[in-house]
C-alpha cells in the first residue's frame, strides 16, 4: 500500500499565486532588459551624428590707405658681371660725405661714361683657380723668381694711403675705380702716380697673362698682402723691356675682368676691360676688327683686338700691362698676340686660335695646366713668338 500526500486547498491556492507572481516578475524584468538594450543601441547609433561645431573667430585688420609710388622706368644696361656669392662680398670704408676730398682731383676732367654702371659683383661658373704651383712657371699673377724672364709687377690698393691708412672709397660706385685708373693711364703709370696708393709687400715677375676665373683675393695673396688688402679696388702693374723676335706686324688681343690695359713704348695699344667700364676706361681709344665677334673664356663678354704695330727683329720695346679688379668676387685675365700673315687654326665659332703673349718659352707642365683650366678655349702652341726680356 502506498501513501500520497495531497495539498490542502489553501496551500494549492497560495502556490498558484506565487507562480503567477514569478511569471509577471520575469516578464517585467525581460521587458526592462530589452528596453535598456534598445536605449544603448540608440545611443551608439545617434552619437556619431552629433558633431561639435567649431567656433570661427574672424579679424578684420584696420584699413590702411595705400600710398601711391611713382614707378621708375628702368634704363637699358650693358652686360655686367654676375653677382658673387655672399661670402665674397668685400667690406670697405665708405665715404660719410660727398666732399671732394674723397676722390683725388684729376688734372683734366673725366667725361661721364655713356653706360649705366651697376654695383653688382661678379662670379664664375666652374671656377678654375690657378693654384700655388702656377708661380713656378710665371703663370697666374707671376713668379717670385726674378730669373723667370718676366715683367716686374707690383700690386696697388685704391682703398689705402701709401702708409696703409684706410681712405674713403665707395665700392658701389664704379666712378671711384674709373677715375683712379684713368689718372694712372694719363701718367703712363708713372712711379709718382703709383706711389699715391698702398703697395703690396712683394713683387712678382710675369711671363704670360692667362688667369681663368679665380677668386679676386688671389691677387693680394700672391703679392703678400692677403691680410693687408681687401680683394677689391686694386690694380697690378707690370713693366719691362723686351726684344721683338721677328720683323712683322703684331697686335694684342684679350680681355680683363674687370680691367686690362697694355701700353707699348708709352702708347695705349689695347684696352680690354669688362663691358660695363670699357667705354669709360678706353678714354677715346678704339679697338680693331673683329672686336665683339669672338667669344672669350669669360661668360659672354667678347674679345677685344688692339692696334696693329709694325716691329722689327731685335727692336727693344717697353711693355706695360695693367690689370685690376673693381667690386671684388672673381677675376679673369687673358692676353694674346697675333702676327699678321700667319695662318692660324679657327674654332667652331670662327675665332682664330692665337698664342699667348709671352717673354719666355712654355714649360710642358705650364702648357698642360693652361689647357686644362681653360677647357674648350684653345691656344696656339706651335707658332708662338717669344718677346724675350732684355
Amino acid at each position: 500500500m502506498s501513501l500520497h500526500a495531497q495539498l490542502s486547498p489553501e496551500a494549492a491556492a497560495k502556490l498558484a499565486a506565487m507562480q503567477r507572481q514569478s511569471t509577471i516578475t520575469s516578464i517585467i524584468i525581460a521587458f526592462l532588459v530589452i528596453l535598456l538594450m534598445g536605449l544603448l543601441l540608440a545611443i551608439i547609433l545617434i552619437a556619431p551624428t552629433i558633431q561639435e561645431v567649431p567656433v570661427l573667430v574672424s579679424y578684420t585688420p584696420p584699413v590702411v590707405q595705400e600710398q601711391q609710388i611713382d614707378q621708375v622706368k628702368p634704363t637699358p644696361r650693358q652686360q655686367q658681371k654676375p653677382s658673387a656669392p655672399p661670402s665674397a662680398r668685400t667690406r670697405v670704408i665708405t665715404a660719410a660725405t660727398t666732399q671732394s676730398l674723397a676722390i683725388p682731383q684729376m688734372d683734366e676732367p673725366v667725361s661721364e661714361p655713356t653706360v649705366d654702371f651697376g654695383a653688382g659683383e661678379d662670379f664664375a661658373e666652374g671656377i678654375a683657380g690657378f693654384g700655388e704651383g702656377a708661380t713656378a712657371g710665371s703663370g697666374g699673377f707671376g713668379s717670385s723668381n726674378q730669373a723667370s724672364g718676366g715683367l716686374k709687377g707690383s700690386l696697388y690698393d685704391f682703398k689705402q694711403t701709401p702708409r696703409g691708412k684706410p681712405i674713403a672709397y665707395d665700392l658701389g660706385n664704379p666712378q671711384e675705380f674709373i677715375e683712379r685708373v684713368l689718372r694712372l693711364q694719363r701718367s703712363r703709370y708713372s712711379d709718382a702716380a703709383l706711389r699715391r696708393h698702398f703697395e703690396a709687400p712683394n713683387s712678382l715677375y710675369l711671363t704670360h697673362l692667362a688667369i681663368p676665373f679665380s677668386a679676386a683675393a688671389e691677387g693680394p695673396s700672391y703679392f703678400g698682402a692677403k691680410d693687408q688688402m681687401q680683394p677689391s679696388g686694386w690694380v697690378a702693374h707690370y713693366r719691362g723691356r723686351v726684344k721683338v723676335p721677328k720683323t712683322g706686324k703684331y697686335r694684342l688681343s684679350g680681355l680683363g675682368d674687370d680691367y686690362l690695359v697694355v701700353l707699348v713704348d708709352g702708347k695705349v695699344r689695347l684696352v680690354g676691360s669688362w663691358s660695363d667700364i670699357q667705354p669709360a676706361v678706353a678714354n677715346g681709344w678704339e679697338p680693331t676688327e673683329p672686336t665683339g665677334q669672338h667669344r672669350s673664356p669669360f661668360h659672354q663678354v667678347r674679345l677685344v683686338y688692339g692696334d696693329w704695330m709694325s716691329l722689327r727683329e731685335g727692336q727693344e720695346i717697353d711693355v706695360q700691362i695693367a690689370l685690376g679688379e673693381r667690386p671684388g668676387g672673381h677675376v679673369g685675365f687673358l692676353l694674346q698676340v697675333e702676327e699678321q700673315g700667319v695662318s692660324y687654326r679657327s674654332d667652331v665659332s670662327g675665332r682664330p686660335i692665337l698664342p699667348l703673349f709671352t717673354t719666355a718659352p712654355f714649360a710642358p707642365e705650364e702648357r698642360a695646366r693652361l689647357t686644362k683650366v681653360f677647357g674648350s678655349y684653345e691656344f696656339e702652341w706651335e707658332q708662338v713668338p717669344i718677346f724675350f726680356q732684355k
Side-chain angles (χ1 to χ4, degrees), residues 134-166:
T135 55
S138 293
F141 288 91
S143 168
S144 58
N145 181 13
Q146 186 174 358
S148 64
L151 308 177
K152 184 178 181 180
S154 298
L155 187 71
Y156 301 90
D157 187 8
F158 292 152
K159 308 181 298 299
Q160 300 182 63
T161 67
R163 295 182 178 273
K165 301 295 183 182

Side-chain angles (χ1 to χ4, degrees), residues 207-272:
T207 61
H208 55 276
L209 182 61
I211 301 176
F213 264 129
S214 309
E218 294 281 8
S221 178
Y222 265 66
F223 285 89
K226 179 180 180 180
D227 299 327
Q228 299 168 276
M229 187 185 302
Q230 294 294 326
S232 59
W234 54 258
V235 162
H237 175 257
Y238 302 85
R239 185 170 191 169
R241 294 189 66 80
V242 300
K243 286 187 177 181
V244 178
K246 177 184 175 183
T247 299
K249 295 189 71 173
Y250 298 84
R251 70 174 174 180
L252 302 168
S253 63
L255 186 67
D257 173 5
D258 288 282
Y259 175 75
L260 174 64
V261 173
V262 182
L263 277 66
V264 177
D265 287 337
K267 184 176 181 179
V268 175
R269 293 297 190 178
L270 174 67
V271 180

